[in-house]
Amino acid sequence: MSAVMRTTLATLLSHYRPHPGQLLMLLLGLWVASALWSGVQAINASARESYARAEALFSSDLDHVERRDDAPLTLDDYLALRRAGVPVSPVIEGELELADGESLTLIGIEPLTLPGGTPLARQDADAASLRDWLLPPHRARVAPDSLDLARSDARLPPLEVDSGLPPATLVTDIAVAARLLDKGHRLTRLMIAPNRRVDLPSAFVRTSPAAPASPGQLADSFHLNLTAMGLLALVVGLFIVHAALGLALEQRMGLLRTLRALGVPGRTLVLALGLELLLIGTLGALLGIVSGVILARLLLPDVAATLDALYDATVSGSLTLPWHYWVGGFAITLGGLVTAGASLLWRASRVSVLALGQVQAWRARLQRQLRVQALVGGLLLGVAALLWWQLGSQPGQRELALGFTLVALLLLGTALWLPPLLGGALHLLTHRLPGRAVLSQWAVADLQLQLPRLSLAMMALLLALSANLGVGSMVGGFRLTFLDWLDQRLLADLYVRPPADQAGELHEWLRQRPEVDTLLPTRQAETRLIDERGEASPVTLFGIAPEPILRRHWPLLDTLDGREAAWAALTREAAFVNEQLARRHGLEPGDVLRLKASRGVVTMQIAAVYPDYGNPRGEIVLPVSRLAARFDAPPGTLGVVLAPTQAREQALDRLRGALAQRFTLLGDAAMIDQQALKRTATEVFERTFAITRALNALTLGVAGLALLTTLLAQAETRRAQLAPLWALGVSRGRLVGLQLVQLVGAALGTALLAIPLGLLLAGVLVAVINVAAFGWRLPLHLFPGQMLLTLVLAALVAALAALLPAWRLWRIPPRQLLQEFAAE
Amino acid sequence: MLRLSGITKTYPTPQGPLRVLDSVDLELAAGESLALMGESGSGKSTLLHLAAGLDLPDSGSVELDGQRLSALSEPARASLRRHRLGLVFQQFHLVPSLSVRDNLTLQARLAGRDDRAWTDHLLARLGLDGLDDRYPEQLSGGQQQRLAIGRALAPRPQLLLADEPTGNLDEAVADQVLALLQTLIDESGCALLVVTHSTRVAAPMGRRLRLARGRLLEPGR
Ligand SMILES: Nc1ncnc2c1ncn2[C@@H]1O[C@H](COP(=O)(O)OP(=O)(O)O)[C@@H](O)[C@H]1O
Ligand SMILES: [Mg+2]
């Protein structure tokens, strides 16, 4: 480094010695921005790593062999095929319930016949380990993240760790799996190496399974949501950085000119400022990334629970961070810093040496700047309106990204409008105040002067407040709708899940019981939906019994000719589809579904579309009888509606007791009452939005910090401006009060703009983002309480931020104020 | 050493272009001292800025040691400034976040010529010894201006350009600072161009010129 560069850099940095607050504020902004951002990214990276493991396991490129009649595969089929010389290998797969309500995906394989090159087969197997695997007590392989979970279950064979397996997955010998899963002779799959050419017996057919929808794809929208929240925090944090950098530069304008006069070339000066940014940025990014990882550790269990509930996606509860995560976090923080600092570097590069010591004429430029801001803001809002209109008229897959673009445009456009609007409001106010109110007039005029310095912090506050209100309204509306929907869907008092061979008996027995009013049997099956182009996609079939109580309560969104007709149609040949499926395939009542059934393809008309919140899959509802006859669906959960009685609890307990006595196979886990189900569902719901709310609250905190740092940074200048008033006989208490009123007033003005913006945001979230991300559309609810809260929060944040500077002003000795006065 | 020939400088103003300097010629030999006098607003600072290469004339040429400034790039002019020139301003323009010693050596360090013995000598001569670790705000006005003069002399420039160096000081202090400036200049053999509107400041200089209505005149008229 040359002498000029070294000395220039040292001189520039010396500025922070008497002004440590500015450095702190800069670091704080960077820290907050990069901590929230990298926290979110850590969660996403960890989840992706889990998905990648799952995909590697399940989308192996082995072919399947199925029966032509689509009947379930059994051990006999396997033996028949092997005898015919077909090198198939059997697999059993199922969910193994553990004692504490957790579950593991259990995969049973037959290592001797399993084709190589699949993650299911252990690559480094030798003869000894093969023997251990095949002979009792056998072995099971489990991902490191789920080792403890698996250890807690005594039924499992000795465990080996395999880091190639996805979380919550256990691979063991097929005999062990069959016993644990109680599968009898049933097999889940028969697999064959894709390049083996063999002649199959005529009862069998070979299929190349389409790649299953990966959990990663399903959950992508969720991660995009998180990313958007992280981005918001990043932007708000960069607002602080920008404010701090601007202040540090403005206070060093004189220094920059002096250095130029002493012979520092302009280029060197800008380069040195850039280096300073880099130094501080590196420090801030390091701090931020470390805190981000800590934050992610705290949030990950909630996220994992949400992903499991919403998308059936299993994500490890412990962080796994690839190297590019660290690089990415660094890059985004430094990139943000450069974005925030670029305009300042540009300004620094245009410092004229000759204006040496001259006060900057920024006030003259202000009016023009405000006009440009209003213009650009209007432009952005115009584009946003256009985009919204477009999105409304053509729903599609790219909606999500466009939805977020729309949100960004709305936020940015309105933020740009904030300073001109506040300025205009203050201008109006000066003309409205009576001539006697001298102090009030001064306060308003003074606030007008302060506005340019405050506006960035106020913009950050606007973004945080409106995001808070928007997300709050969306979540609140969702909660109302969801709870309503739960009430409508969970009609039975008790849900019983009998073993397949006892289902009929249980059904009969329950029908005889005096406590029981109605039985609501269900069945479930997986099949393929065939669209017009002949492409098949997986879909869940859900069988219900169209009893009067269901007909009364089951929520429907859209029907052909009303509820009654829809139910009547369902009992004949029609079906209902859930909203997700309808949106994904552009279906509506009256359309005809083509489904792959046990014997050929069946068609049925759609009679209604129903809401199905929280379900990631497309689903079709049929009467149980039809599902059993056409799709071989086994009996599922049985809903028991009790007869109306005073003593519902006792009746329920009596029934549970009798059930447990009569059907010994029924464990506690097989009987769930409605309350417990609702509790679980509500819990899932709360966890889903816990992260959203946490990030929102943090963002609001960051905006408060931005305001505080701005105030602290300009406290000295403020004192010099207030000293003359004090000299004219305004008490310090009065001055402190005025300051508070000014700030809270500005914040309330900001909140008034944040309310309509927040509602718009809620509208976009509900009508565009949720629809694209989850496949369902919620009604938009307005909560006056939330709007009021926005005002209160704004006032609170402003008052809190003003507290420290006000306290300092309060504590300052009169002698010092006198000096300030003299210095002016 | 310094040669200005046919210098014209016009500033755009809301009332139309303002011609501040009109075909000004000026020559200063090595070691020579010159006082540039004139009313406030007569263009003295403008001329000084042109001489320092902080700005370029509309027409005419400024030569420093035979090098035409307008032919040099901005970095080259900056380099010339830090190696050959010393600048002293009416408002001192010290760096508030640097200690007295660091302020004194700032330009010398920029020029890569920090000489500890010379700095100590300067500190003593300026009456600032023992104050090394203070900061500018802890100094009196006279001390601050002395520090500014020291900063300009620390890199051992060939030409010192001072713009109203005593304008912000009261008379007694101004006299001291001026006397000190004079002795230090004599000691170092550096040329001096001092801008002032005070005859007291101008009196001891080797030559005096007056700037009026954009032209240079001999004094006494
Ligand atoms: N950057 C500028 N733009 C416009 N006018 C200027 C500028 N700098 C100086 N002037 C004008 O030029 C005239 C001479 O200024 P200056 O050289 O500072 O005079 P002096 O130093 O003798 O007081 C003054 O009228 C001043 O207002
Ligand atoms: Mg002047």
Side-chain angles (χ1 to χ4, degrees):
Chain A
M1 213 190 282
S2 69
V4 188
M5 179 54 94
R6 206 172 39 227
T7 310
T8 305
L9 191 58
T11 308
L12 285 175
L13 285 174
S14 77
H15 170 76
Y16 294 110
R17 192 195 48 79
H19 304 283
Q22 278 174 33
L23 183 63
L24 226 62
M25 174 168 151
L26 251 176
L27 284 176
L28 189 79
L30 281 170
W31 173 62
V32 164
S34 93
L36 292 187
W37 169 261
S38 49
V40 162
Q41 288 314 311
I43 290 175
N44 286 350
S46 236
R48 280 209 190 96
E49 198 268 350
S50 292
Y51 303 149
R53 280 192 272 160
E55 249 156 70
L57 187 62
F58 294 112
S59 65
S60 65
D61 38 5
L62 295 181
D63 281 354
H64 293 181
V65 172
E66 288 170 20
R67 287 173 61 109
R68 264 193 211 284
D69 62 4
D70 269 338
L73 292 162
T74 65
L75 196 59
D76 294 338
D77 294 318
Y78 169 59
L79 294 174
L81 282 164
R82 291 295 305 194
R83 264 195 306 260
V86 183
V88 287
S89 180
V91 172
I92 288 182
E93 194 183 314
E95 290 297 303
L96 180 68
E97 305 277 340
L98 302 182
D100 51 358
E102 306 264 6
S103 72
L104 285 173
T105 300
L106 190 62
I107 301 177
I109 54 165
E110 212 281 294
L112 293 175
T113 54
L114 192 68
T118 146
L120 279 177
R122 183 148 221 174
Q123 311 303 332
D124 56 357
D126 54 19
S129 68
L130 195 59
R131 196 178 51 230
D132 285 344
W133 185 269
L134 289 174
L135 299 178
H138 301 284
R139 293 285 187 272
R141 278 156 33 208
V142 66
D145 353 33
S146 306
L147 187 58
D148 289 339
L149 187 65
R151 268 205 188 116
S152 65
D153 198 300
R155 292 173 296 169
L156 298 179
L159 298 167
E160 289 170 359
V161 170
D162 182 350
S163 55
L165 290 177
T169 303
L170 200 84
V171 177
T172 185
D173 187 66
I174 193 160
V176 181
R179 176 164 46 79
L180 287 172
L181 293 172
D182 197 15
K183 285 275 191 186
H185 284 174
R186 277 200 182 197
L187 300 176
T188 311
R189 266 195 292 284
L190 284 170
M191 304 206 292
I192 185 167
N195 40 4
R196 293 291 283 265
R197 305 185 135 268
V198 284
D199 292 322
L200 285 176
S202 60
F204 295 93
V205 62
R206 180 174 183 155
T207 59
S208 296
S214 81
Q217 267 163 14
L218 285 175
D220 254 359
S221 51
F222 179 83
H223 292 293
L224 193 58
N225 242 319
L226 272 187
T227 304
M229 298 301 282
L231 204 61
L232 180 67
L234 183 74
V235 168
V236 171
L238 290 180
F239 268 106
I240 303 187
V241 173
H242 186 87
L245 282 179
L247 191 79
L249 185 72
E250 200 165 293
Q251 292 195 346
R252 283 186 293 183
M253 275 303 182
L255 172 60
L256 296 191
R257 294 200 181 94
T258 305
L259 284 172
R260 291 287 302 275
L262 296 184
V264 177
R267 242 187 2 217
T268 311
L269 207 52
V270 173
L271 214 62
L273 280 169
L275 266 177
E276 176 192 309
L277 273 189
L278 194 70
L279 264 168
I280 296 174
T282 306
L283 193 61
L286 273 179
L287 279 175
I289 290 176
V290 170
S291 329
V293 170
I294 296 175
L295 185 73
R297 280 240 157 82
L298 293 176
L299 290 178
L300 197 59
D302 269 339
V303 175
T306 301
L307 285 168
D308 187 23
L310 272 182
Y311 302 100
D312 282 347
T314 312
V315 166
S316 161
S318 60
L319 279 183
T320 324
L321 297 175
W323 64 269
H324 52 79
Y325 161 77
W326 305 100
V327 178
F330 236 87
I332 208 86
T333 312
L334 288 187
L337 181 66
V338 167
T339 316
S343 68
L344 298 167
L345 286 185
W346 187 75
R347 251 171 77 197
S349 73
R350 293 174 41 106
V351 165
S352 139
V353 208
L354 289 178
L356 212 58
Q358 238 171 287
V359 185
Q360 249 195 303
W362 55 266
R363 231 163 259 173
R365 287 200 329 255
L366 192 65
Q367 240 23 51
R368 203 179 42 137
Q369 194 184 325
L370 285 183
R371 266 200 301 278
V372 171
Q373 268 189 16
L375 208 75
V376 174
L379 217 67
L380 293 182
L381 290 179
V383 175
L386 212 71
L387 195 61
W388 199 346
W389 177 71
Q390 274 285 310
L391 281 172
S393 62
Q394 48 162 223
Q397 276 299 310
R398 265 154 295 149
E399 265 199 342
L400 196 58
L402 286 179
F404 280 117
T405 313
L406 174 55
V407 168
L409 285 173
L410 270 180
L411 287 178
L412 209 63
T414 316
L416 283 175
W417 266 10
L418 179 70
L421 282 179
L422 280 182
L426 287 175
H427 188 72
L428 277 183
L429 208 58
T430 31
H431 294 292
R432 285 294 156 84
L433 284 173
R436 290 171 289 106
V438 180
L439 265 187
S440 312
Q441 272 186 341
W442 174 86
V444 171
D446 176 69
L447 187 55
Q448 264 176 312
L449 289 183
Q450 281 192 69
L451 213 51
R453 284 159 187 271
L454 282 181
S455 58
L456 265 182
M458 286 294 166
M459 281 170 163
L461 186 64
L462 175 80
L463 295 190
L465 284 174
S466 44
N468 229 26
L469 177 62
V471 172
S473 300
M474 188 268 284
V475 174
F478 193 4
R479 183 205 304 270
L480 283 186
T481 314
F482 182 73
L483 293 182
D484 240 25
W485 172 83
L486 263 188
D487 279 341
Q488 292 169 329
R489 284 285 293 263
L490 296 181
L491 294 167
D493 299 273
L494 184 68
Y495 291 87
V496 187
R497 200 171 39 189
D501 52 344
Q502 294 190 353
E505 196 186 344
L506 183 90
H507 196 240
E508 275 314 304
W509 185 83
L510 278 170
R511 242 207 338 234
Q512 313 291 327
R513 295 290 298 189
E515 304 96 324
V516 176
D517 180 83
T518 311
L519 287 178
L520 298 172
T522 65
R523 280 171 193 247
Q524 203 167 329
E526 300 292 326
T527 187
R528 302 280 171 92
L529 174 68
I530 302 159
D531 64 16
E532 308 102 66
R533 285 165 302 172
E535 280 175 27
S537 51
V539 68
T540 304
L541 299 177
F542 191 65
I544 60 171
E547 300 284 348
I549 182 171
L550 266 189
R551 289 164 168 247
R552 268 199 310 280
H553 293 285
W554 187 282
L556 295 179
L557 289 174
D558 194 11
T559 60
L560 209 49
D561 327 284
R563 288 185 70 93
E564 280 313 311
W567 283 102
L570 182 75
T571 48
R572 291 193 307 271
E573 271 304 279
F576 294 172
V577 298
N578 70 0
E579 191 186 357
Q580 292 85 305
L581 189 71
R583 284 194 192 278
R584 239 167 263 159
H585 293 271
L587 300 171
E588 49 186 49
D591 290 352
V592 173
L593 298 168
R594 299 181 67 216
L595 296 168
K596 202 169 173 239
S598 327
R599 279 161 290 277
V601 170
V602 299
T603 59
M604 39 188 101
Q605 200 185 37
I606 300 174
V609 177
Y610 63 94
D612 195 10
Y613 305 120
N615 184 358
R617 294 169 193 284
E619 192 180 89
I620 297 173
V621 157
L622 309 172
V624 257
S625 48
R626 202 184 326 151
L627 193 57
R630 300 261 181 86
F631 297 90
D632 289 334
T637 308
L638 183 61
V640 182
V641 184
L642 295 186
T645 164
Q646 301 292 327
R648 184 183 164 280
E649 287 302 315
Q650 281 94 316
L652 197 58
D653 283 346
R654 210 160 350 110
L655 187 62
R656 291 184 77 135
L659 264 171
Q661 219 168 27
R662 172 74 176 70
F663 296 89
T664 38
L665 281 176
L666 276 181
D668 257 359
M671 284 188 281
I672 307 168
D673 70 34
Q674 187 202 51
Q675 304 299 322
L677 259 183
K678 273 191 188 159
R679 234 184 349 263
T680 319
T682 319
E683 226 168 73
V684 166
F685 175 87
E686 296 297 344
R687 288 189 104 165
T688 303
F689 292 101
I691 318 119
T692 312
R693 263 191 292 234
L695 284 178
N696 246 309
L698 283 174
T699 309
L700 195 61
V702 172
L705 278 178
L707 196 54
L708 171 67
T709 39
T710 309
L711 291 178
L712 280 181
Q714 65 180 90
E716 258 170 66
T717 331
R718 289 297 293 153
R719 273 212 295 277
Q721 287 163 351
L722 292 172
L725 274 191
W726 171 78
L728 291 177
V730 183
S731 74
R732 266 182 301 164
R734 208 62 194 285
L735 285 180
V736 168
L738 272 178
Q739 296 258 78
L740 277 178
V741 169
Q742 278 181 327
L743 219 69
V744 170
L748 283 178
T750 304
L752 281 182
L753 188 58
I755 290 176
L757 179 58
L759 296 182
L760 266 179
L761 208 60
V764 177
L765 285 174
V766 162
V768 180
I769 305 243
N770 275 346
V771 177
F774 303 113
W776 59 69
R777 181 177 183 145
L778 304 163
L780 177 62
H781 289 264
L782 298 185
F783 300 94
Q786 295 248 19
M787 299 179 214
L788 201 68
L789 185 68
T790 304
L791 289 175
V792 174
L793 275 177
L796 205 71
V797 166
L800 275 178
L803 217 57
L804 186 60
W807 183 73
R808 279 197 179 168
L809 180 67
W810 175 261
R811 288 283 311 269
I812 195 172
R815 186 173 34 82
Q816 201 173 333
L817 272 178
L818 206 59
Q819 278 171 0
E820 307 274 4
F821 185 48
E824 273 289 281
Chain B
M1 167 87 254
L2 172 70
R3 185 206 302 271
L4 284 75
S5 37
I7 296 287
T8 303
K9 182 74 185 174
T10 309
Y11 287 122
T13 68
Q15 293 79 37
L18 172 70
R19 176 159 293 201
V20 181
L21 298 176
D22 192 0
S23 316
V24 170
D25 300 306
L26 176 80
E27 205 161 331
L28 190 69
E32 197 186 356
S33 70
L34 172 77
L36 190 62
M37 304 179 61
E39 312 272 295
S40 180
S42 57
K44 307 184 293 293
S45 296
T46 303
L47 192 141
L48 200 78
H49 292 156
L50 292 174
L54 293 172
D55 200 1
L56 292 174
D58 298 337
S59 63
S61 76
V62 181
E63 281 173 42
L64 239 161
D65 263 355
Q67 274 182 299
R68 223 184 123 127
L69 290 189
S70 51
L72 297 177
S73 65
E74 193 267 337
R77 265 179 293 158
S79 161
L80 202 68
R81 210 153 52 231
R82 64 177 185 269
H83 288 111
R84 308 257 181 92
L85 294 186
L87 291 172
V88 178
F89 307 96
Q90 183 175 350
Q91 280 91 10
F92 322 146
H93 292 311
L94 296 169
V95 180
S97 53
L98 291 183
S99 69
V100 166
R101 178 177 286 275
D102 288 345
N103 260 293
L104 189 82
T105 56
L106 181 57
Q107 189 179 340
R109 281 183 290 137
L110 286 173
R113 296 199 186 128
D114 188 13
D115 175 352
R116 177 98 199 177
W118 173 235
T119 311
D120 286 340
H121 174 72
L122 272 178
L123 273 172
R125 297 287 288 123
L126 294 165
L128 295 172
D129 41 348
L131 302 180
D132 318 30
D133 297 333
R134 296 226 181 157
Y135 287 88
E137 75 209 15
Q138 297 166 314
L139 301 181
S140 71
Q143 285 171 326
Q144 289 190 30
Q145 191 58 303
R146 276 183 272 154
L147 179 54
I149 290 170
R151 180 179 68 189
L153 288 172
R156 299 178 186 271
Q158 292 156 11
L159 172 61
L160 190 81
L161 298 169
D163 194 348
E164 316 237 11
T166 58
N168 264 351
L169 305 175
D170 56 44
E171 232 168 59
V173 179
D175 283 348
Q176 287 172 16
V177 169
L178 208 62
L180 185 66
L181 179 64
Q182 198 73 49
T183 15
L184 282 174
I185 289 288
D186 291 346
E187 268 178 26
S188 60
C190 148
L192 172 66
L193 174 57
V194 60
V195 157
T196 181
H197 57 256
S198 138
T199 39
R200 281 170 76 94
V201 175
M205 300 299 146
R207 246 189 329 146
R208 280 164 296 281
L209 289 173
R210 176 170 290 278
L211 197 57
R213 269 169 273 120
R215 294 184 174 271
L216 264 187
L217 313 162
E218 294 297 324
R221 295 197 40 210

